[in-house]
Amino acid sequence: MPDAEELERLVAEAEIRRVIARYCRGVDRMDLELVRSCYHPDAHDEHGSFSGTVDEYLEWVGALLAKYDATMHFVGNHLVEFDGADAAWVETYGISVHRGPADRPHLNLSTGFRFVDRFERRAGEWRIADRVAVADWSLRHGPDDWWPLPDEHRRGRRDVDDPVFSTRVRGHKNK
Amino acid sequence: MPDAEELERLVAEAEIRRVIARYCRGVDRMDLELVRSCYHPDAHDEHGSFSGTVDEYLEWVGALLAKYDATMHFVGNHLVEFDGADAAWVETYGISVHRGPADRPHLNLSTGFRFVDRFERRAGEWRIADRVAVADWSLRHGPDDWWPLPDEHRRGRRDVDDPVFSTRVRGHKNK
Amino acid sequence: MPDAEELERLVAEAEIRRVIARYCRGVDRMDLELVRSCYHPDAHDEHGSFSGTVDEYLEWVGALLAKYDATMHFVGNHLVEFDGADAAWVETYGISVHRGPADRPHLNLSTGFRFVDRFERRAGEWRIADRVAVADWSLRHGPDDWWPLPDEHRRGRRDVDDPVFSTRVRGHKNK
């Protein structure tokens, strides 16, 4: 049997990873309360030109997201370094893809980023206490670079009709 | 020691993630029997213009894959929400890169997708019971966008000579 | 409670994944000693036109990395197949993004790759014993495809001033 410390570490890393995945879902589906739930109430976030509290961040990011037609925050590498039992430095690599409306071509961008987070466990819950979003590169896409997805394809949405929510309620046969 | 429920959850999540990774290997190496093994026999799949049984899906996807020179199904974010002990809703983010032959430039595409899956554990095995593949965006590549990989580089293949299989049999010194 | 073998497997997979993430950090931050620590001393690496020992690899990759302004080695799919208790075949999918200086446009490339690794556990440590880096595709970027990141955005660096190191020492408020 692995020792208890190893297993505690696995459990904590998995929970931290789940928080990051919920954050991405919250942003991409524009569920700002889900985004909020990823932070401790007194957390700080620095993100591009923004730096401030969670409430301020939600206001800023909500307005920013509304400019796009769709976003995808795709994350990979996670590296968790514990600082005692109830805190950790966490680096997460990601690529975000942004699609803008036809008349705002400069909003079509992919960005390579890293979340550099301090997570803390308080009252049993791992959440972000401090985040710095680091930009590594950003690539423009021309408006004509997007291939028009056929109408019959199941498409992502930014509300409760996105398939991640609707399929479990209504089953796959009812789009 | 973490409690048993937490550890059971970790084991189930890891197994679900392995199934997704095997699915991607099956598609990218064109090993359709490996793809099949990721589904329960009565599973349903909806994928672009396709909707049907596993047998129907394998026929459809096999014909589709044959049109490309190469594919890569790269996955990141996993979010597993259990529905009892033996079922789960699983969202997986991915980017698929497709390279087509020189005379079929429209087959050069990258697509941001999500697998929205219902996994079920039956007879101890977690497999897909129902999948909806959701398309979030798709980007065209020009045929000249590909950088020609030098011949001496170890390249991916879609058969048993791919390095993932051949290196373990013959060692790295025998290409 | 899951059985001990399952849990040992989870612990080993997590440790292998951490080594891969540390490797990526080492390359992207140009910390070659961190890269070295991911290999057993007698490991072999094959990488593009290179094939050789760890010492030789570090020399080669160090010179190569110096040509770029920045790199990102973004990894996703992990598939670990154990070969006894102390060895495993590990496939990792990745996309690497390379940005070159203005006068070397051919260095702007994204590459889809796979690490095909043999990991071995020796004296309790999982490290790479043999690596083949497989190239699946490579896409050129034009020098003007990069969107110029605003100066006030927190940017990645290749030294100890990268935010992944500096934020934990100095806090988020001191750039």
Side-chain angles (χ1 to χ4, degrees):
Chain A
M1 197 66 142
D3 67 40
E5 197 179 341
E6 278 286 2
L7 295 177
E8 293 285 8
R9 184 179 175 192
L10 281 193
V11 167
E13 286 179 346
E15 186 51 29
I16 289 168
R17 211 155 41 224
R18 285 177 204 124
V19 172
I20 304 264
R22 284 198 297 265
Y23 173 89
C24 294
R25 177 186 284 181
V27 167
D28 292 337
R29 306 280 79 74
M30 284 191 75
D31 178 347
L32 294 184
E33 287 312 305
L34 185 57
V35 174
R36 182 194 297 277
S37 73
C38 300
Y39 293 88
H40 288 297
D42 62 347
H44 187 274
D45 192 288
E46 184 196 311
H47 223 111
S49 56
F50 172 84
S51 180
T53 67
V54 176
D55 282 337
E56 291 164 347
Y57 176 63
L58 291 174
E59 193 171 336
W60 178 82
V61 79
L64 182 63
L65 288 170
K67 297 183 183 178
Y68 298 104
D69 286 346
T71 64
M72 181 191 218
H73 287 74
F74 184 63
V75 293
N77 320 31
H78 277 283
L79 201 41
V80 178
E81 296 168 275
F82 289 94
D83 178 21
D86 296 312
W89 301 102
V90 181
E91 183 188 42
T92 305
Y93 279 48
I95 294 177
S96 55
V97 181
H98 309 80
R99 200 152 47 77
D103 61 341
R104 309 204 67 186
H106 64 287
L107 294 178
N108 296 302
L109 279 179
S110 293
T111 299
F113 67 86
R114 282 173 291 138
F115 290 139
V116 173
D117 292 327
R118 181 174 174 85
F119 269 78
E120 292 179 5
R121 177 163 54 184
R122 304 183 195 164
E125 285 205 54
W126 285 100
R127 296 190 186 197
I128 302 162
D130 196 345
R131 162 165 291 182
V132 176
V134 180
D136 282 317
W137 52 265
S138 201
L139 274 170
R140 304 179 224 255
H141 304 300
D144 297 334
D145 292 347
W146 303 108
W147 182 67
L149 290 158
D151 277 344
E152 82 262 28
H153 286 204
R154 188 83 78 137
R155 302 287 299 281
R157 300 176 54 97
R158 298 168 110 189
D159 58 24
V160 295
D161 288 326
D162 182 82
V164 80
F165 308 117
S166 65
T167 54
R168 74 181 73 174
V169 177
R170 302 201 299 256
H172 62 266
K173 273 152 202 152
N174 304 291
K175 302 189 192 187
Chain B
M1 196 67 141
D3 67 40
E5 197 179 341
E6 278 287 1
L7 295 176
E8 294 284 7
R9 186 179 173 193
L10 282 193
V11 167
E13 286 179 347
E15 185 53 28
I16 288 167
R17 213 156 38 226
R18 286 178 204 124
V19 172
I20 304 265
R22 284 199 296 264
Y23 173 89
C24 294
R25 176 185 284 180
V27 167
D28 292 336
R29 306 279 80 74
M30 285 193 75
D31 177 347
L32 294 183
E33 286 312 304
L34 185 58
V35 174
R36 182 194 298 277
S37 73
C38 299
Y39 294 88
H40 287 297
D42 62 346
H44 187 274
D45 192 288
E46 184 196 310
H47 224 111
S49 58
F50 172 84
S51 181
T53 66
V54 176
D55 282 338
E56 290 164 348
Y57 176 63
L58 291 174
E59 194 172 335
W60 178 82
V61 79
L64 183 63
L65 288 170
K67 296 183 183 177
Y68 298 104
D69 285 347
T71 64
M72 181 191 217
H73 287 75
F74 184 61
V75 293
N77 320 31
H78 277 282
L79 202 39
V80 178
E81 296 168 276
F82 289 94
D83 178 20
D86 296 313
W89 299 103
V90 181
E91 182 187 43
T92 304
Y93 278 48
I95 294 178
S96 54
V97 180
H98 309 80
R99 202 152 46 77
D103 61 341
R104 310 206 65 187
H106 64 287
L107 293 179
N108 296 302
L109 279 179
S110 292
T111 299
F113 67 86
R114 283 174 290 137
F115 291 138
V116 174
D117 293 326
R118 182 176 174 84
F119 268 79
E120 291 179 6
R121 178 163 52 185
R122 302 184 194 164
E125 286 205 53
W126 285 100
R127 297 189 185 197
I128 303 161
D130 196 345
R131 161 164 290 179
V132 176
V134 180
D136 283 317
W137 52 266
S138 201
L139 274 171
R140 304 179 223 254
H141 305 299
D144 297 333
D145 291 346
W146 303 106
W147 182 65
L149 290 158
D151 277 344
E152 82 263 28
H153 286 204
R154 188 85 76 140
R155 303 286 300 280
R157 300 176 54 99
R158 299 168 108 188
D159 58 25
V160 294
D161 287 326
D162 183 82
V164 81
F165 307 118
S166 65
T167 54
R168 75 180 72 173
V169 176
R170 301 201 299 255
H172 62 267
K173 274 153 203 152
N174 304 290
K175 300 191 193 186
Chain C
M1 196 65 139
D3 67 40
E5 196 179 342
E6 278 287 2
L7 295 177
E8 294 284 9
R9 186 180 172 192
L10 281 193
V11 167
E13 287 179 347
E15 185 51 30
I16 288 168
R17 213 157 39 226
R18 284 177 206 125
V19 172
I20 304 265
R22 284 198 298 263
Y23 173 89
C24 294
R25 176 185 284 181
V27 167
D28 292 337
R29 306 280 80 75
M30 285 194 74
D31 177 348
L32 295 184
E33 286 312 304
L34 185 57
V35 174
R36 182 194 297 277
S37 73
C38 300
Y39 294 88
H40 288 298
D42 62 346
H44 187 275
D45 192 288
E46 183 195 313
H47 224 111
S49 57
F50 172 85
S51 181
T53 66
V54 176
D55 283 337
E56 290 164 348
Y57 176 63
L58 291 173
E59 192 172 337
W60 178 82
V61 79
L64 182 63
L65 288 169
K67 297 183 183 178
Y68 298 104
D69 285 347
T71 63
M72 181 192 218
H73 287 76
F74 184 63
V75 292
N77 321 30
H78 277 283
L79 202 39
V80 178
E81 297 168 275
F82 289 94
D83 178 20
D86 296 312
W89 299 104
V90 181
E91 182 187 42
T92 304
Y93 278 48
I95 294 178
S96 54
V97 181
H98 309 80
R99 200 152 47 77
D103 62 340
R104 309 204 67 186
H106 65 285
L107 293 179
N108 295 302
L109 279 179
S110 293
T111 300
F113 68 86
R114 283 174 288 138
F115 290 139
V116 173
D117 292 327
R118 180 174 175 85
F119 269 79
E120 291 179 3
R121 178 164 53 185
R122 304 184 194 164
E125 285 206 52
W126 284 101
R127 298 190 184 196
I128 302 162
D130 195 346
R131 162 164 290 180
V132 177
V134 180
D136 282 319
W137 52 265
S138 200
L139 273 170
R140 304 179 223 253
H141 304 301
D144 297 334
D145 291 347
W146 303 106
W147 183 66
L149 289 159
D151 277 346
E152 82 264 27
H153 286 205
R154 187 84 76 138
R155 304 285 300 281
R157 300 177 53 98
R158 299 168 110 189
D159 57 25
V160 295
D161 287 326
D162 183 82
V164 81
F165 307 117
S166 65
T167 55
R168 75 180 73 174
V169 177
R170 302 200 299 256
H172 62 266
K173 274 152 202 150
N174 305 290
K175 300 189 190 187

